[in-house]
């Protein structure tokens, strides 16, 4: 006789996701960042919803509404600081999550990795759109510079820019549509995160050794739930410390000045988490070439699932691969530093050398690990 389940379909899905999910017994702290990113996404959506209740998307009002809300709306300063610094911590988690995937070969799960890269692109787009909303000097000029890049597209570039602006310059129509997109994109990201988890749980997590762990797994709860909670405490602690003690440390002072199309800031630069891509953009003298390099800096991640395969997943047993990987980490930090500098010598040449090294990793990592396979 058929026996009815004690759990509803929704309860069964949740139970399988966070309680009975079979998980490799040897995954390390580097696997904590998936859950931490989920916490960051939830925090950004909730704080953003609250901030949107006191925001007016208008070029004559946005800047003053943001400033006035600090004093007139209870705890608005706290939610705004949490939202701004939460974005920085979100990107810290994203970059560490991607670095872990590159090192341990998580890109062999093609669906999981590809959806993850799409999530990265949408989060980057949402962060850029959100940075424009306060309508400070860096917001206005950042929007002008980045949207103008589309004019480099052959034939349709000019029309695309006018369509993005909603006119012939960055103005009220631009701000309105940026606000609408910034509001919608996080919910699309949340949906893709669900799809990301679906494929991850279908294919199973990787592990530090890069070997099959089908016969050595434990249930997710309580082993990894407790581990994720500890990781969340260590992640949220510094975030709250920044919110309470130095909330504008990672911001740009120029953004406390209202956006003025007649006064160009001395040095236009994006938020720190975009500086590596900004350095790559500036490294190419040709405008179209710079745009292609900028896009390739992130889109190159789509190449990893189809890169040459190795006999052991990940770089744990490949010394040359490890050296190349940690060189990439150093190049990433140096590109971030170079992107914060003015467009002048020697920073342009440094950016060009670092950009070449950045793309070299993705071209060389496959052949180098294959050579080591043959030697062993």
């Amino acid at each position: 006789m058929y026996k009815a389940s004690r759990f509803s379909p929704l309860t069964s899905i949740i139970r399988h996701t966070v309680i009975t999910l079979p998980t490799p017994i040897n995954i390390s702290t580097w696997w904590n960042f998936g859950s931490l990113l989920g916490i960051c996404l939830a925090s950004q959506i909730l704080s953003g919803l609250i901030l949107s209740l006191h925001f007016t998307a208008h070029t004559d009002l946005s800047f003053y509404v943001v400033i006035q809300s600090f004093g007139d709306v209870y705890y608005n300063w706290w939610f705004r600081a949490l939202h701004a610094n939460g974005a920085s911590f979100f990107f810290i988690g994203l970059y560490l999550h991607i670095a872990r995937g590159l090192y341990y070969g998580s890109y062999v799960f093609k669906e999981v990795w590809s959806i993850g890269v799409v999530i990265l692109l949408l989060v980057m787009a949402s962060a850029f759109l959100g940075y424009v909303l306060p309508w400070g000097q860096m917001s206005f000029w950042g929007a002008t510079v980045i949207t103008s890049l589309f004019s480099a597209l052959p034939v349709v570039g000019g029309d695309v820019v006018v369509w993005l602006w909603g006119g012939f310059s960055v103005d009220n129509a631009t701000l309105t549509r940026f606000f609408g997109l910034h509001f919608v994109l996080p919910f699309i990201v949340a949906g893709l995160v669900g799809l990301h988890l679906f494929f991850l749980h279908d294919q199973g997590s990787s592990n530090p050794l890069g070997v099959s762990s089908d016969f050595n797994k434990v249930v997710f709860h309580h082993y990894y739930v407790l581990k994720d909670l500890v990781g969340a405490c260590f992640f949220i602690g510094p975030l709250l410390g920044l919110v309470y003690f130095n909330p504008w440390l990672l911001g740009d002072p120029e953004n406390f000045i209202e956006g003025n199309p007649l006064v160009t800031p001395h040095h236009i630069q994006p938020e720190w988490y975009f500086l590596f891509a900004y350095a790559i953009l500036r490294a190419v003298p040709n405008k179209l070439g710079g745009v292609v390099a900028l896009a390739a800096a992130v889109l190159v991640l789509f190449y990893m699932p189809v890169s040459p395969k190795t006999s052991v997943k990940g770089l744990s047993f490949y010394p040359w691969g490890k050296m190349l990987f940690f060189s990439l980490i150093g190049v990433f930090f140096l590109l971030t530093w170079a992107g914060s500098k003015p467009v002048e010598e020697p920073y342009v040449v440094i950016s060009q050398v670092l950009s070449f090294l950045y793309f070299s990793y993705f071209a060389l990592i496959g052949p180098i690990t294959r050579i080591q396979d043959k030697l062993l």
Side-chain angles (χ1 to χ4, degrees):
M1 182 182 292
Y2 174 76
K3 185 177 180 180
S5 172
R6 293 187 297 120
F7 304 102
S8 68
L10 180 60
T11 307
S12 296
I13 292 172
I14 296 173
R15 186 170 182 272
H16 180 68
T17 302
V18 297
I19 297 178
T20 63
L21 177 71
T23 309
I25 199 170
N26 63 330
I27 60 175
S28 65
T29 306
W30 292 110
W31 271 257
N32 278 45
F33 286 98
S35 61
L36 294 178
L37 288 170
I39 293 172
C40 280
L41 178 60
S43 170
Q44 290 300 98
I45 289 176
L46 290 174
S47 59
L49 283 172
I50 292 170
L51 291 174
S52 70
L53 301 176
H54 305 283
F55 180 77
T56 303
H58 195 285
T59 53
D60 295 332
L61 301 173
S62 295
F63 181 79
Y64 297 102
V65 166
V66 169
I67 299 299
Q68 186 182 28
S69 297
F70 284 150
D72 290 357
V73 179
Y74 283 121
Y75 292 103
N76 180 274
W77 68 270
W78 189 86
F79 284 107
R80 192 165 298 282
L82 179 68
H83 197 69
N85 290 295
S88 290
F89 275 70
F90 202 169
F91 275 96
I92 291 172
L94 276 171
Y95 292 150
L96 289 173
H97 195 55
I98 292 168
R100 190 267 295 169
L102 289 172
Y103 185 84
Y104 289 114
S106 299
Y107 47 80
V108 298
F109 303 131
K110 294 182 180 180
E111 294 86 356
V112 178
W113 182 264
S114 299
I115 294 170
V117 177
V118 173
I119 290 172
L120 172 65
L121 291 169
L122 292 181
V123 170
M124 284 181 154
S126 184
F128 165 69
L129 296 171
Y131 189 60
V132 175
L133 299 184
W135 209 245
Q137 270 287 75
M138 204 56 70
S139 297
F140 173 81
W141 286 100
T144 302
V145 170
I146 298 303
T147 53
S148 295
L149 294 177
F150 288 94
S151 65
L153 296 174
V155 183
V156 298
D159 293 332
V160 170
V161 173
V162 172
W163 177 77
L164 283 172
W165 288 347
F168 297 102
S169 65
V170 174
D171 208 338
N172 197 54
T174 318
L175 183 61
T176 303
R177 59 188 58 186
F178 276 23
F179 176 59
L181 287 171
H182 181 67
F183 191 92
V184 170
L185 280 179
F187 296 100
I188 298 175
V189 169
L192 286 174
V193 167
L195 198 59
H196 187 67
L197 290 173
F198 171 80
F199 282 110
L200 174 65
H201 293 170
D202 180 60
Q203 298 173 354
S205 296
S206 58
N207 63 83
L209 294 178
V211 297
S212 175
S213 57
D214 290 341
F215 304 103
N216 199 13
K217 291 187 176 183
V218 294
V219 292
F220 191 80
H221 178 76
H222 55 85
Y223 297 101
Y224 291 110
V225 168
L226 293 177
K227 188 176 181 180
D228 284 345
L229 288 175
V230 173
C233 291
F234 279 99
F235 199 70
I236 294 172
L239 172 58
L240 292 179
L242 202 59
V243 168
Y244 282 112
F245 296 106
N246 202 345
W248 313 120
L249 175 66
L250 301 176
D252 194 310
E254 287 278 358
N255 238 25
F256 286 92
I257 304 171
E258 186 181 8
N260 186 348
L262 301 179
V263 179
T264 307
H266 176 66
H267 178 42
I268 300 173
Q269 66 180 49
E271 289 284 79
W272 70 265
Y273 37 78
F274 292 143
L275 287 175
F276 83 97
Y278 188 55
I280 293 173
L281 168 70
R282 301 186 322 183
V284 182
N286 178 268
K287 187 174 182 179
L288 178 59
V291 172
V292 171
L294 171 67
V298 180
L299 296 179
V300 70
L301 294 172
F302 281 116
Y303 163 74
M304 294 309 294
V306 297
S307 61
K309 300 297 183 291
T310 55
S311 58
V312 180
K313 187 169 60 178
L315 301 176
S316 297
F317 301 101
Y318 295 94
W320 298 351
K322 284 183 180 180
M323 291 172 59
L324 205 59
F325 172 80
F326 288 111
S327 298
L328 174 68
I329 300 301
V331 166
F332 179 86
F333 280 109
L334 289 173
L335 278 171
T336 300
W337 167 78
S340 67
K341 300 300 180 182
V343 189
E344 59 187 32
E345 300 299 341
Y347 304 117
V348 174
V349 174
I350 291 173
S351 296
Q352 289 171 343
V353 173
L354 292 172
S355 299
F356 174 78
L357 294 175
Y358 176 84
F359 289 110
S360 295
Y361 170 83
F362 298 96
L364 295 176
I365 189 63
I368 283 179
T369 50
R370 289 296 296 273
I371 290 172
Q372 284 189 266
D373 275 338
K374 292 180 180 179
L375 292 176
L376 297 174

